[in-house]
Amino acid sequence: EDLHMLYSYKINSITSFSGDDSLKVSIESGNAPITSRLRTEGIVFGSGGIEVSNLYYTNSITEWVNGTDSDELLIAAGPLFEMDALVPTTTSSYSNDGMFNGFFLGPNSLSNHSKAGAPGVALAYQNDNGFNVGVSKVWVNGADSDKGMNGDGFDITRLSMGYDNNDFGGGIIYTLYEDPSELFDTVYDDAGNEITGSILGDPVFVGLGAFWNVNEKFDISVGIDFLEFDYNKFDVATVTSVAADYDLGPGTLSAGVTDVLGFNHATGAQDNAGYAYELYYNFDVADGITVKPMIMIHELDSSGSTNWADETIYGIETTFKF
């Protein structure tokens, strides 16, 4: 509960060879301990070492042009892939730059989790009328020759379909996720032991989401994730989130509310731990310098026989971009 300070440093490099393609390389360093509760979109876990976090290539492989209408087929692949790097379906327009991001909270944050740092490939089709479909695959153990890609290692498959325009949009995201344990810290058995991915079978996450740009200043997003854990007789869980951004003064005020997932292990019934709320304000103090005061509240009670402690986390994040 003491006041403390963390840092992260990121270099994002994007190189184009033809004008239609790009090679993305991200290098980062940080000193956040894995147990840190001060998690934001910019957090980097580690002890100060520098490492490559993303390395993948994207290209437009087919394009048809008919008057003002055009359809595009895109592909992305690389040894360090972000699974959400080429998802053509937009289920949420929420900025999600606060602490919800670091706790995998917010609209469709579970079904559309980034899952970076492993070999992957994605294919996306975008129609000029706003319709889109996509498929992606990440091999979590794809760098390990003992497990390999489509071998003994586990993989993640994602399918998406939706519709977008300037004012509103939404869609559905289907994710077959073999090991979701790292996404949750509120799934425990009746003895208080954390349920690990090895006994969760082959879970399926389905996300439904939509956004609405009410006007030039205000947008709102709603997402529902349906989680089938393929474990004993556990219920198909639902996690609902609502979030919004509002341009106010020199910056943007953002807020969100979501369920915090939990189960009663003895019965398999969904028994949520409670709710989470966040509020933050992101504003520029100079060219390339932004300040973001933020607060997140965990209003928790119990999940099965496990009691949770309420907590309130305050933070101020300053970002320098150059």
Side-chain angles (χ1 to χ4, degrees):
E1 296 180 351
D2 284 334
L3 181 69
H4 60 289
M5 180 180 289
L6 305 172
Y7 82 88
S8 62
Y9 183 79
K10 299 183 180 183
I11 299 176
N12 293 315
S13 170
I14 298 178
T15 304
S16 180
F17 303 96
S18 66
D20 294 324
D21 65 348
S22 64
L23 175 67
K24 180 174 181 179
V25 181
S26 299
I27 299 172
E28 63 182 28
S29 177
N31 69 334
I34 196 65
T35 56
S36 175
R37 308 295 287 171
L38 190 62
R39 307 178 191 178
T40 70
E41 183 275 336
I43 194 171
V44 176
F45 296 105
S47 57
I50 297 176
E51 64 177 21
V52 177
S53 57
N54 293 307
L55 177 58
Y56 58 88
Y57 177 76
T58 65
N59 200 353
S60 174
I61 58 175
T62 308
E63 184 171 327
W64 302 272
V65 178
N66 181 13
T68 59
D69 296 332
S70 64
D71 300 342
E72 191 167 22
L73 189 63
L74 304 168
I75 191 170
L80 292 174
F81 191 67
E82 295 175 294
M83 195 164 191
D84 59 352
L86 191 61
V87 178
T89 304
T90 303
T91 61
S92 170
S93 60
Y94 184 49
S95 57
N96 204 18
D97 289 334
M99 285 185 276
F100 268 18
N101 185 291
F103 285 82
F104 307 110
L105 301 173
N108 301 125
S109 62
L110 298 177
S111 58
N112 197 26
H113 174 50
S114 62
K115 194 54 188 177
V121 63
L123 188 67
Y125 170 75
Q126 296 175 320
N127 182 279
D128 190 64
N129 294 323
F131 295 99
N132 53 73
V133 294
V135 59
S136 59
K137 188 96 167 182
V138 168
W139 296 275
V140 177
N141 305 111
D144 185 348
S145 63
D146 290 332
K147 296 181 179 179
M149 300 162 62
N150 289 329
D152 294 332
F154 65 88
D155 55 74
I156 307 167
T157 303
R158 176 173 295 155
L159 304 172
S160 69
M161 179 174 63
Y163 170 81
D164 296 341
N165 65 28
N166 292 331
D167 297 324
F168 63 90
I172 182 172
I173 295 176
Y174 171 97
T175 303
L176 176 60
Y177 203 136
E178 289 193 353
D179 186 1
S181 57
E182 70 177 72
L183 300 185
F184 303 100
D185 57 5
T186 55
V187 183
Y188 285 72
D189 63 19
D190 53 356
N193 300 312
E194 184 176 0
I195 298 176
T196 61
S198 60
I199 59 174
L200 286 175
D202 295 320
V204 173
F205 296 179
V206 177
L208 297 176
F211 67 91
W212 179 29
N213 297 324
V214 181
N215 53 48
E216 293 182 354
K217 292 187 174 183
F218 179 53
D219 68 88
I220 186 169
S221 301
V222 178
I224 303 176
D225 283 334
F226 300 89
L227 314 177
E228 170 55 75
F229 285 103
D230 189 23
Y231 174 72
N232 287 346
K233 296 181 179 180
F234 270 34
D235 289 347
V236 176
T238 59
V239 177
T240 304
S241 303
V242 179
D245 297 307
Y246 182 71
D247 292 340
L248 180 66
T252 302
L253 181 66
S254 304
V257 58
T258 184
D259 301 319
V260 178
L261 180 64
F263 277 98
N264 185 322
H265 182 269
T267 65
Q270 181 177 357
D271 187 2
N272 284 353
Y275 297 93
Y277 309 87
E278 80 165 357
L279 180 70
Y280 62 91
Y281 185 65
N282 198 7
F283 63 99
D284 296 332
V285 297
D287 290 341
I289 303 177
T290 61
V291 174
K292 187 194 313 171
M294 50 194 165
I295 180 175
M296 185 175 73
I297 300 171
H298 276 144
E299 188 177 85
L300 309 179
D301 43 34
S302 65
S303 176
S305 59
T306 304
N307 292 321
W308 301 99
D310 291 341
E311 64 177 345
T312 301
I313 307 171
Y314 304 93
I316 298 177
E317 184 174 69
T318 303
T319 302
F320 304 87
K321 292 185 178 181
F322 52 91

